[in-house]
Amino acid sequence: MISRLLDRRYKILKILASGGFGQTYLAEDTRRPGHPPCVVKQLRVLSNKPGAYQTGHRLFKKEAEVLEKLGKHDQIPRLLAHFEENKEFYLVQEYIPGHLLSEEIVPGKPLPEARIISLLVAVLQILFVVHKHGVIHRDIKPNNIIRRQIDGKLVLIDFGSVKEINTQVASGAITQTVAIGTRAYMPIEQFKGYPQFNSDIYALGMMMIQALGGFTVEELLNLRVGNNPQTGEFVWRDRVQVSSRLADVIDKMVRFDFNQRYKSAREVLADLKSIVTNSKNLANTPRLITRNIGSAIASTVPAALASAGKFPAISANQKTQLEQTTNIARRYRWEAAATLLAAGGVIVALLTQLPHVFVFIGANKARGGNYQEAIQNFSWAIQLKSDRADAYYDRGFAFFEIGDNKRSLEDYTQALKLNSKLTFAYIGRGNARFTLQDYQGAIADYTKAIKITANEDNNNIPRGIAHRFLKDYQGEIKTKKQAIGSRPKDEALSYKQGFVSKTLENPPGAIQSDTPPLRIAFNLAVAYNNRGIARAKMGDNLGAIADISQAIRLSPNVADAWENRANIRRRLKDYKGAIADYTTALKINPNDGHSYYNRALAQVSLGNKQAALSDLQKAANICINQGFSSCYNNAQASIKQLEL
């Protein structure tokens, strides 16, 4: 089948999936400029019953019409064509570059609650549209959701209703549907052949339980074996770390009786919205935060009392702030703290510290992946002191991490209004704009970050960079020593870099021991790298290479930058340069299966078959060990193709 031309147009490149109903292929459209990739799904009618082909033809046309409508949604692949050939049916759909969600929902690696909420919202928004068209997907699972490479959005693929055609033709059961789906995610009514719209909601709920617990499919199945045999429900909460609010939502999604489940995706989204706390509605605060803040206040107040000889007088503004803080304390049952706050002036010092406490705890929550709780803490800090640029900045970062790019953009913008020299705020806002596909805006922000950072320290750092370009390393060291001597310690910059630089996986303040030149070089590298990627998205590949090369010169030990440049070089058919960059990336990070896979593709383009096979085998081994199934499958398929 490989290299076969279907419909005198679609050239088969490789097999993506196989099943009893047919196969799915990666193909290229030979009639379009550049031969763009597409996905071809084959559907065989296996029945020999009289009229089977005619029935299959009618059902196939009907399903193609449904997919045509659904494909108008941005997060469902477009139906490009459908045709028949040799009594087999074919669907041609848009190819979505990216990775399967099964590479994010990995056994043994539970996802934090913020990620779960983000995934739920993203998939439910797609299901709302699907159900609105009267369609039940019937096979919601990690392998049927793609994280699109270009923008990070989720795309729903492989609608189970198409698979129904063959079974209906074979059984003649036209009035009752068939049990299409995957057992671990399939509710009882779907198994019996009577799927409902909320059968998809059930499957999504099961998928989230799997993600929360890092369960294998077998472990997920075992959760409901022998548990509550009278009701069909199963016990799972004690096996995962989850708040009671989110657990209640998921429990309602996976009720055994579909009449007790959420009726629609809209209902689930409404309940999730109440969990994703609005910064102005403090009443939705998780209890865990209350206990943490209560402890912080309990330990702070005695120290304030001990150091105060008397209650100082307070101004009208301080009194207003004191009342506001007291109300917050009372609202969250900090009885002891509220009593002390009501005492008066001794807590004036505490008023100035409380916003800092909220920011500090929020940063710790964010570092642990609890972005919703982090957002709430930053919101408290902002409510108490609205001119804290760091609180807006940190909250913008947390919003970005949960996928709320618009609110992230708003917070970064407010932070920059308060402090126009926050380098990482420009980078963060650039990232938000990039994700929203505002590449021009992203480039402008990255450029601003570069200018600010390069001008820090009286231009000593740019001069040091110039020495590096000339390979004058002694001159560079001398320049850095001058910079260290001339620049005072910048604690705010140190804190910010420690918080947002998750690629370095350092806690707040961890970079404080670095010299200022190293911190500035890192800022510049981030900005150059990100601006390069934005330029590549706009088709400016040469500009992208120039920017990423600058990032590499500044921070040569970041594997991602080398891989980014390699990918662009491969796109420009500079295969030797790409291989050299992939090789450097792999020296820095030898456990990156994707780099091995991409280097193999470059080797294939140069005709280096044995080198390509070696890289593909390494990619397959690494990817399967790390649980990246699509990477493994792609490597295996490429190996088979090369060995033909």
Side-chain angles (χ1 to χ4, degrees), residues 453 461 465 468 480 497 515-528 550-551 553-555:
T453 310
I461 303 308
I465 295 169
R468 179 177 295 178
K480 286 186 175 180
Q497 294 209 358
T515 61
L518 291 179
R519 293 202 306 272
I520 292 171
F522 176 75
N523 276 9
L524 283 169
V526 171
Y528 274 118
Q550 186 80 311
R553 293 184 185 107
L554 290 163
S555 291

Side-chain angles (χ1 to χ4, degrees), residues 471-537:
K471 299 187 183 299
D472 181 5
Y473 299 110
Q474 291 300 322
E476 179 185 6
I477 293 170
K478 182 179 179 181
T479 300
K480 286 186 175 180
K481 287 181 178 179
Q482 292 173 353
I484 294 169
S486 64
R487 181 180 176 83
K489 183 176 182 181
D490 186 345
E491 293 182 359
L493 179 61
S494 299
Y495 173 80
K496 284 298 135 224
Q497 294 209 358
F499 174 53
V500 303
S501 178
K502 46 174 206 168
T503 55
L504 298 180
E505 297 182 352
N506 285 328
I511 308 181
Q512 290 184 12
S513 61
D514 290 348
T515 61
L518 291 179
R519 293 202 306 272
I520 292 171
F522 176 75
N523 276 9
L524 283 169
V526 171
Y528 274 118
N529 181 74
N530 292 358
R531 189 173 73 175
I533 298 172
R535 283 179 164 170
K537 291 292 184 183

Side-chain angles (χ1 to χ4, degrees), residues 44-164:
R44 296 170 178 163
V45 175
L46 303 177
S47 174
N48 293 321
K49 289 184 178 181
Y53 177 79
Q54 289 74 12
T55 302
H57 177 270
R58 177 173 55 82
L59 292 172
F60 176 74
K61 295 283 286 186
K62 179 182 176 182
E63 294 304 331
E65 290 173 4
V66 171
L67 292 175
E68 176 75 27
K69 292 179 182 178
L70 292 176
K72 294 178 181 179
H73 188 276
D74 176 58
Q75 290 168 270
I76 298 172
R78 288 180 295 126
L79 181 67
L80 303 176
H82 62 279
F83 59 91
E84 303 166 36
E85 192 169 285
N86 298 325
K87 293 194 174 182
E88 292 176 346
F89 304 108
Y90 294 91
L91 295 169
V92 183
Q93 289 184 291
E94 175 187 11
Y95 172 69
I96 308 295
H99 64 266
L100 296 176
L101 204 58
S102 55
E103 293 193 8
E104 298 180 23
I105 300 177
V106 180
K109 295 183 179 179
L111 295 183
E113 187 164 314
R115 288 282 305 282
I116 297 298
I117 293 174
S118 178
L119 289 172
L120 274 172
V121 170
V123 178
L124 285 165
Q125 288 174 340
I126 305 173
L127 285 180
F128 174 77
V129 175
V130 172
H131 294 168
K132 189 177 179 180
H133 282 87
V135 177
I136 305 170
H137 185 279
R138 277 184 267 183
D139 204 7
I140 300 293
K141 60 182 180 180
N143 277 337
N144 281 340
I145 300 172
I146 292 176
R147 175 81 68 185
R148 189 161 54 198
Q149 186 176 24
I150 190 172
D151 58 9
K153 289 184 179 180
L154 298 183
V155 178
L156 187 58
I157 64 171
D158 202 12
F159 283 73
S161 55
V162 175
K163 301 173 186 175
E164 179 186 350

Side-chain angles (χ1 to χ4, degrees), residues 3-17:
S3 298
R4 178 179 168 183
L5 201 65
L6 294 173
D7 199 30
R8 295 181 295 178
R9 176 171 186 169
Y10 303 103
K11 183 180 179 181
I12 302 301
L13 301 178
K14 66 177 180 179
I15 298 173
L16 295 177

Side-chain angles (χ1 to χ4, degrees), residues 73 76 97 104 131 174 200 202 260 295 406 411 524 585 634:
H73 188 276
I76 298 172
E104 298 180 23
H131 294 168
I174 304 300
D200 286 344
Y202 177 99
Q260 297 179 19
S295 300
K406 290 184 179 179
D411 274 354
L524 283 169
N634 287 340

Side-chain angles (χ1 to χ4, degrees), residues 258-403:
F258 69 86
N259 291 305
Q260 297 179 19
R261 263 182 243 144
Y262 287 104
K263 297 296 186 293
S264 68
R266 185 192 292 250
E267 289 183 9
V268 193
L269 285 168
D271 279 358
L272 286 173
K273 186 177 180 180
S274 69
I275 296 177
V276 181
T277 312
N278 187 294
S279 62
K280 295 181 181 179
N281 183 8
L282 299 181
N284 289 331
T285 305
R287 287 190 296 271
L288 182 61
I289 294 182
T290 302
R291 289 197 296 272
N292 288 344
I293 300 296
S295 300
I297 290 180
S299 63
T300 305
V301 170
L305 289 171
S307 63
K310 60 180 180 179
F311 290 171
I314 61 174
S315 67
N317 288 338
Q318 288 174 327
K319 184 177 180 180
T320 300
Q321 191 177 11
L322 177 63
E323 290 172 352
Q324 183 181 23
T325 309
T326 304
N327 288 335
I328 291 176
R330 282 185 175 136
R331 190 178 302 176
Y332 297 104
R333 301 181 182 179
W334 303 336
E335 289 86 356
T339 302
L340 288 168
L341 287 168
V346 70
I347 309 303
V348 171
L350 178 60
L351 291 175
T352 62
Q353 295 300 318
L354 194 53
H356 176 74
V357 171
F358 285 136
V359 171
F360 176 79
I361 293 176
N364 279 316
K365 292 292 182 183
R367 190 171 65 247
N370 298 325
Y371 297 112
Q372 296 295 346
E373 297 180 9
I375 287 168
Q376 185 62 84
N377 278 276
F378 300 139
S379 298
W380 284 341
I382 291 168
Q383 183 176 350
L384 291 172
K385 191 168 175 54
S386 61
D387 62 349
R388 287 200 62 137
D390 60 340
Y392 279 108
Y393 168 81
D394 290 347
R395 193 173 69 175
F397 172 79
F399 274 132
F400 182 80
E401 288 300 299
I402 66 171

